[in-house]
Protein backbone atom coordinates (compact mmCIF):
# COMPACT_ATOMS: atom_id res chain seq x y z
CA UNK A 1 0.00 0.00 0.00
CA UNK A 2 1.18 3.49 -0.79
CA UNK A 3 0.01 6.94 0.20
CA UNK A 4 -1.11 8.17 -3.23
CA UNK A 5 -3.56 11.04 -3.42
CA UNK A 6 -4.88 12.77 -6.52
CA UNK A 7 -6.25 16.30 -6.46
CA UNK A 8 -8.67 17.42 -9.15
CA UNK A 9 -9.19 21.19 -9.40
CA UNK A 10 -12.66 22.17 -10.60
CA UNK A 11 -14.23 25.56 -11.27
CA UNK A 12 -17.23 25.35 -8.91
CA UNK A 13 -19.04 23.27 -6.32
CA UNK A 14 -21.56 21.77 -8.75
CA UNK A 15 -18.78 20.50 -10.99
CA UNK A 16 -16.91 19.10 -7.98
CA UNK A 17 -19.98 17.28 -6.68
CA UNK A 18 -20.76 15.81 -10.11
CA UNK A 19 -17.17 14.70 -10.61
CA UNK A 20 -16.97 13.14 -7.14
CA UNK A 21 -20.08 11.10 -7.85
CA UNK A 22 -18.87 10.07 -11.31
CA UNK A 23 -15.48 8.95 -9.96
CA UNK A 24 -17.07 5.96 -8.27
CA UNK A 25 -18.97 4.98 -11.38
CA UNK A 26 -16.11 5.41 -13.84
CA UNK A 27 -13.08 4.35 -11.79
CA UNK A 28 -14.58 2.25 -9.01
CA UNK A 29 -13.19 4.53 -6.31
CA UNK A 30 -14.00 2.89 -2.97
CA UNK A 31 -13.64 5.82 -0.61
CA UNK A 32 -15.81 8.86 -1.14
CA UNK A 33 -13.67 11.71 -2.47
CA UNK A 34 -13.24 14.74 -0.21
CA UNK A 35 -14.51 18.11 -1.50
CA UNK A 36 -12.55 21.18 -0.42
CA UNK A 37 -13.24 24.83 -1.25
CA UNK A 38 -10.02 26.56 -2.26
CA UNK A 39 -10.35 30.36 -2.23
CA UNK A 40 -7.87 32.12 -4.46
CA UNK A 41 -5.27 34.14 -2.60
CA UNK A 42 -6.58 37.56 -1.63
CA UNK A 43 -10.13 36.88 -2.80
CA UNK A 44 -13.08 36.96 -0.43
CA UNK A 45 -15.76 36.50 -3.08
CA UNK A 46 -17.21 32.96 -3.19
CA UNK A 47 -17.31 33.24 -6.99
CA UNK A 48 -13.52 33.30 -6.99
CA UNK A 49 -13.20 29.90 -5.35
CA UNK A 50 -12.09 26.70 -6.98
CA UNK A 51 -13.14 23.33 -5.63
CA UNK A 52 -10.77 20.46 -5.04
CA UNK A 53 -11.77 16.83 -5.25
CA UNK A 54 -9.26 14.80 -3.25
CA UNK A 55 -9.13 11.15 -4.25
CA UNK A 56 -7.28 8.62 -2.11
CA UNK A 57 -5.60 5.93 -4.21
CA UNK A 58 -3.83 3.62 -1.72
CA UNK A 59 -3.33 0.89 -4.34
CA UNK A 60 -1.90 3.38 -6.88
CA UNK A 61 -4.24 2.03 -9.56
CA UNK A 62 -5.68 5.25 -11.04
CA UNK A 63 -4.03 6.44 -14.24
CA UNK A 64 -3.08 10.13 -14.00
CA UNK A 65 -3.71 10.68 -17.73
CA UNK A 66 -7.22 9.26 -17.43
CA UNK A 67 -7.85 11.52 -14.42
CA UNK A 68 -6.60 14.51 -16.46
CA UNK A 69 -9.15 13.75 -19.19
CA UNK A 70 -11.84 13.09 -16.60
CA UNK A 71 -11.32 16.47 -14.86
CA UNK A 72 -11.26 18.24 -18.24
CA UNK A 73 -14.90 17.21 -18.76
CA UNK A 74 -15.75 19.84 -16.10
CA UNK A 75 -13.15 22.40 -17.27
CA UNK A 76 -10.81 21.25 -14.54
CA UNK A 77 -7.42 19.61 -14.24
CA UNK A 78 -5.43 17.23 -12.05
CA UNK A 79 -2.91 18.98 -9.86
CA UNK A 80 0.61 17.55 -10.21
CA UNK A 81 2.17 16.41 -6.92
Amino acid sequence: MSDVRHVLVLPDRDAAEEAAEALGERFGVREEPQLVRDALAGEDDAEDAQWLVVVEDPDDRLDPKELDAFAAQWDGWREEP
Side-chain angles (χ1 to χ4, degrees):
M1 299 237 330
S2 64
D3 188 25
V4 176
R5 177 177 296 142
H6 302 280
V7 177
L8 306 181
V9 181
L10 299 167
D12 57 49
R13 184 181 186 133
D14 289 340
E17 289 174 345
E18 287 177 27
E21 185 175 321
L23 276 164
E25 297 167 8
R26 179 155 173 202
F27 296 102
V29 174
R30 289 177 269 162
E31 289 186 35
E32 186 169 333
Q34 179 183 6
L35 301 181
V36 179
R37 181 180 178 272
D38 184 34
L40 300 176
E43 298 293 335
D44 293 329
D45 188 353
E47 295 297 317
D48 293 325
Q50 296 173 326
W51 282 81
L52 309 179
V53 178
V54 181
V55 184
E56 299 295 333
D57 186 16
D59 299 327
D60 196 16
R61 63 179 190 79
L62 299 175
D63 182 343
K65 289 183 182 185
E66 287 184 33
L67 288 173
D68 286 337
F70 177 79
Q73 294 174 4
W74 288 275
D75 297 324
W77 65 90
R78 182 184 56 84
E79 191 70 24
E80 290 289 336

